Amino acid sequence: MTALSPSPAPSRDGDDHPRRAGTVGGTPVGFGRRQLLAALPDAFRKLSPVALLATPVMLVVEIGAVATTVLSIIDPSTLGWMVTVWLWLTVLFGTLAESVAEGRGKAQAASLRALQAETDARRLRPDGTEEHVPSTSLHQGDLVVVEAGERIPGDGDVVEGVASVDESAVTGESAPVIRESGGDRSAVTGGTEVLSDRIVVRITAEPGHSFVDRMIALVEGSERQRTPNEIALNVLLASLTAIFVAVVGSLYFVADYSDAHQSVLVLTALLVCLIPTTIGALLSAIGIAGMDRLVRRNVLAMSGRAVEAAGDVDVLLLDKTGTITYGNRRASEVVAVGGTVQRYLEEATVLASLADETPEGRSIVELLEGVQPEPLADAVLVEFSAATRMSGLDAAGRQVRKGAASAVEAWVRAEGGTVPDDLAPAVQRVSELGGTPLVVADRVGTDAPRVLGVVHLKDVVKEGIRERFEELRAMGIRTVMITGDNAVTARVIAAEAGVDDVLAEATPEDKLALIRSEQRGGRMVAMCGDGTNDAPALAQADVGVAMNTGTMAAKEAGNMVDLDSDPTKLIEVVEIGKQLLITRGALTTFSVANDVAKYFAILPAMFVGTFPQLDVLNIMRLSSPASAITSAVVFNALIIVGLIPLALRGVAYRPSSASSLLRRNLLIYGVGGLIAPFLGIKLLDLVISLIPGL
């Protein structure tokens, strides 16, 4: 797949993207024994109280584990050591979840570091000669030559030539991509390999500030900041923890007053089981995994906040050129006028385009690649110039010209020729379709020149983009195309692409005004763009997705970069954002709901000796008070491990209304959170009751 091809539709089951399932840039990302073992050392390091300050819930659990450890040493008992061990495991499982999530980013970073090996660069001197220098000595603005089999020494733009480039180490795609001067396929990444031909690259990044450097920092999580939503949830969890600490602390005195004395060990077990340890342990892993899932879709998020915001996007603004359409206009047809034979027109059009090295000129040759005109003797290519607005070819006995309609008409008339009557309607038809008409004419011998036909240059909408916009519409997102083109051209492209609205003849100020207007209306706005003129809008948008093939200004302004340069990738970005929010909500619901079973397990066990009537609350018919308390503590720890894969993979997202999502969340994770602990604690009780001395 080239950088201009739309990505296949994303999976809806929360699994890895189908075209990169199980890998990140070639690095395995599965969840299994190997990943757990690799994450264990870091999980133990995170047991430091300083590290746990960011997760107050787990800090309280660790304090409780320390307290029970001391008590078990002073007064050893089977129950004491069982509770102590599983409290420590609860904290460890929480740090393990975060370590596994971070480990996936570190694995990706390790593969990316292979791209940073110092390479030999062939830098061009001002006189055009080459000098060999290490890639680390290159600076912004340097020109380097790269040929087949060589690595590109640094980030840059192709300024000369066209080549096939292997970017699999960065994007995970095995298929090479085409990079060429001009248009929206000129950006190259340092460390990628040229497979064919020769290109000249202008370096755009200083050493240590390359795109790969930024990517490594991002996937390792060193630049990850907690999002407002995550901070708010942390505050809620900390508040709930403080409330339960106060409640359990007061329970000590209530129990003492009622002659149902409770040990600190039992009260600690109760506290740990009642505070929201499940979501507290998994919260950080959910956020890290959300950014990781974006990386696996070849999208780099500069912050977790951008991922969250993507889940609430209402409006998507897309720049037309290079985003909805290919970066340059392409020839779509040649129409004969004045009775010219079609084959003769096509041959003349190819001859007139041989000197045209613009992307438009090359597209004409590609369109007519099967046409092989007879070679002309002593042919001299006439390059396009802004003064003549024409290009062509002069040979012995023949002249061929191609260019703007008015320029070619003026040349024909100045040389004594006439313009056919059907030329104006043909030019008008192309203009009304939103295209650019180029007129072809030739002159044979001493005859007067004549007009042969019209070439239709059009903005070509990227394949499959209309279907992707329909998906966005089903998700409740309104799409708006922004372009500097006139209203006629804009409406034609908008209709072909299937966008909901269009802003024509837009200046950078117009884009900013539109985004601010939407935001004032309470809507979350996403913007896709690739040009320098898109930078202000990308910076203002809640979610700014810059194309990797775009300018450095655009990439610096956005808070996401799409390595595939596919504007419809925002569908996947939005899905991942929604998946992140839904996963966090689902596991919070589950965490709160499963506390209910623990009430029925621990509270009767604590007071049944003093108040036998409370045995009626022992609806699980647990074997003994000690077994009930231990089973609840063990379940509290094991459920964290059981939910790590879900936290990393994310809850499946399917486009639906907010009420449907809420209902589904409550039915699956609310009801599931109620039922699972009853079953789990009862099964554990059957096993634990067999332990002697408990």
Side-chain angles (χ1 to χ4, degrees):
M1 184 182 78
T2 68
L4 292 174
S5 302
S7 304
S11 62
R12 300 280 194 255
D13 56 4
D15 291 330
D16 292 338
H17 193 286
R19 64 190 174 103
R20 270 183 297 281
T23 64
V24 177
T27 303
V29 295
F31 175 76
R33 185 170 58 184
R34 180 179 299 178
Q35 286 69 33
L36 285 174
L37 292 176
L40 269 177
D42 193 46
F44 278 104
R45 284 192 292 271
K46 289 180 181 292
L47 290 176
S48 163
V50 176
L52 289 176
L53 283 174
T55 53
V57 175
M58 302 313 295
L59 180 61
V60 169
V61 177
E62 185 172 61
I63 293 172
V66 171
T68 59
T69 301
V70 173
L71 292 172
S72 297
I73 293 173
I74 296 173
D75 184 16
S77 68
T78 303
L79 173 62
W81 283 115
M82 286 283 289
V83 170
T84 297
V85 169
W86 282 99
L87 287 185
W88 279 113
L89 287 175
T90 301
V91 186
L92 180 63
F93 293 158
T95 58
L96 183 65
E98 184 174 1
S99 298
V100 169
E102 291 177 349
R104 304 169 94 177
K106 291 176 181 177
Q108 166 71 340
S111 68
L112 289 171
R113 282 198 173 92
L115 294 174
Q116 295 187 303
E118 186 174 293
T119 58
D120 181 59
R122 297 158 57 188
R123 183 166 60 189
L124 286 177
R125 296 189 181 97
D127 60 3
T129 59
E130 298 179 9
E131 60 175 338
H132 290 264
V133 298
S135 58
T136 53
S137 67
L138 295 174
H139 296 282
Q140 190 172 351
D142 286 346
L143 296 177
V144 294
V145 177
V146 192
E147 295 185 345
E150 297 177 349
R151 283 186 179 273
I152 297 171
D155 292 359
D157 294 319
V158 178
V159 295
E160 180 184 317
V162 56
S164 176
V165 179
D166 177 9
E167 295 186 342
S168 59
V170 175
T171 66
E173 286 290 348
S174 58
V177 296
I178 301 299
R179 293 289 179 257
E180 59 184 331
S181 59
D184 67 347
R185 293 188 294 177
S186 62
V188 291
T189 303
T192 55
E193 184 179 356
V194 173
L195 301 179
S196 68
D197 302 297
R198 172 186 183 275
I199 53 176
V200 177
V201 176
R202 177 181 289 112
I203 300 299
T204 57
E206 293 291 329
H209 295 81
S210 69
F211 194 67
V212 172
D213 288 312
R214 293 171 61 197
M215 188 171 181
I216 289 173
L218 288 167
V219 298
E220 283 187 324
S222 60
E223 293 185 15
R224 179 182 176 270
Q225 297 179 345
R226 294 184 182 274
T227 65
N229 184 287
E230 189 174 347
I231 292 172
L233 188 52
N234 258 318
V235 171
L236 173 62
L237 297 182
S239 301
L240 289 175
T241 300
I243 291 171
F244 280 118
V245 168
V247 169
V248 172
S250 63
L251 192 61
Y252 176 85
F253 299 101
V254 172
D256 190 57
Y257 177 78
S258 59
D259 292 327
H261 306 288
Q262 300 298 325
S263 67
V264 174
L265 179 75
V266 172
L267 290 173
T268 301
L270 173 65
L271 173 64
V272 170
C273 288
L274 296 186
I275 62 177
T277 50
T278 306
I279 185 61
L282 298 174
L283 183 59
S284 183
I286 294 169
I288 295 171
M291 295 181 68
D292 179 65
R293 282 195 293 275
L294 273 182
V295 172
R296 281 181 277 146
R297 267 68 167 189
N298 280 359
V299 178
L300 292 183
M302 306 306 176
S303 71
R305 181 171 188 168
V307 185
E308 271 189 5
D312 292 322
V313 164
D314 303 299
V315 181
L316 168 61
L317 310 182
L318 303 107
D319 180 56
K320 176 184 72 69
T321 305
T323 305
I324 292 177
T325 66
Y326 290 95
N328 303 290
R329 299 189 178 212
R330 296 186 172 189
S332 62
E333 63 175 338
V334 290
V335 180
V337 298
T340 304
V341 176
Q342 183 70 22
R343 183 69 180 185
Y344 185 82
L345 167 63
E346 292 174 355
E347 291 178 353
T349 303
V350 171
L351 289 172
S353 301
L354 292 176
D356 189 352
E357 285 301 317
T358 64
E360 290 84 358
R362 291 199 293 264
S363 76
I364 293 173
V365 176
E366 291 172 5
L367 176 68
L368 303 174
E369 61 180 350
V371 177
Q372 298 293 331
E374 291 291 330
L376 300 177
D378 302 323
V380 177
L381 299 178
V382 178
E383 296 185 3
F384 176 86
S385 73
T388 64
R389 294 190 297 158
M390 294 187 300
S391 62
L393 177 144
D394 288 343
R398 189 175 183 187
Q399 290 179 295
V400 185
R401 293 291 184 272
K402 178 203 72 191
S406 58
V408 174
E409 287 181 35
W411 177 73
V412 169
R413 289 194 173 98
E415 296 296 323
T418 59
V419 176
D421 294 337
D422 55 350
L423 175 63
V427 170
Q428 181 67 21
R429 183 183 70 87
V430 172
S431 299
E432 289 176 350
L433 291 174
T436 300
L438 296 180
V439 175
V440 179
D442 78 342
R443 179 178 189 172
V444 179
T446 58
D447 294 342
R450 58 176 183 147
V451 174
L452 305 179
V454 178
V455 178
H456 182 179
L457 292 180
K458 65 174 293 187
D459 279 312
V460 179
V461 174
K462 294 181 178 180
E463 293 88 351
I465 203 165
R466 186 181 187 92
E467 291 74 18
R468 305 302 296 277
F469 284 152
E470 289 175 357
E471 290 184 56
L472 285 168
R473 198 171 294 112
M475 296 165 68
I477 298 174
R478 182 168 62 92
T479 54
V480 182
M481 184 185 81
I482 303 176
T483 177
D485 285 345
N486 61 69
V488 173
T489 301
R491 283 196 296 270
V492 171
I493 297 299
E496 186 176 351
V499 297
D500 298 314
D501 205 350
V502 61
L503 177 64
E505 300 179 11
T507 64
E509 292 76 15
D510 293 332
K511 299 176 186 179
L512 270 178
L514 178 59
I515 292 174
R516 288 169 177 164
S517 173
E518 295 286 355
Q519 290 172 333
R520 282 194 298 270
R523 288 174 283 275
M524 297 286 284
V525 180
M527 167 77 182
C528 284
D530 64 347
T532 300
N533 65 334
D534 296 323
L538 287 169
Q540 177 67 35
D542 299 290
V543 180
V545 183
M547 302 295 103
N548 186 37
T549 52
T551 64
M552 288 302 296
K555 287 193 266 189
E556 291 289 343
N559 50 25
M560 292 188 186
V561 177
D562 176 18
L563 299 180
D564 290 333
S565 297
D566 173 16
T568 60
K569 183 74 67 66
L570 193 86
I571 294 174
E572 297 172 43
V573 173
V574 169
E575 286 183 340
I576 290 170
K578 289 183 181 297
Q579 191 181 47
L580 172 65
L581 297 176
I582 291 171
T583 302
R584 192 176 287 157
L587 293 185
T588 300
T589 302
F590 185 93
S591 180
V592 173
N594 71 27
D595 283 345
V596 174
K598 298 168 194 173
Y599 292 127
F600 285 97
I602 295 182
L603 289 177
M606 291 174 62
F607 295 102
V608 71
T610 305
F611 303 104
Q613 303 92 325
L614 290 178
D615 188 58
V616 71
L617 297 178
N618 183 18
I619 59 177
M620 288 180 278
R621 312 317 301 168
L622 302 179
S623 303
S624 67
S627 175
I629 293 170
T630 306
S631 298
V633 172
V634 173
F635 176 84
N636 195 62
L638 292 179
I639 197 64
I640 295 173
V641 178
L643 292 175
I644 289 177
L646 181 61
L648 298 181
R649 187 181 67 246
V651 174
Y653 167 73
R654 296 175 181 83
S656 58
S657 64
S659 59
S660 298
L661 289 174
L662 177 61
R663 184 165 54 251
R664 176 170 170 258
N665 184 35
L666 291 175
L667 286 174
I668 296 177
Y669 298 97
V671 176
L674 287 172
I675 296 174
F678 280 98
L679 297 176
I681 291 174
K682 179 59 181 177
L683 290 174
L684 287 168
D685 174 72
L686 294 175
V687 176
I688 291 172
S689 62
L690 301 176
I691 299 176
L694 191 67

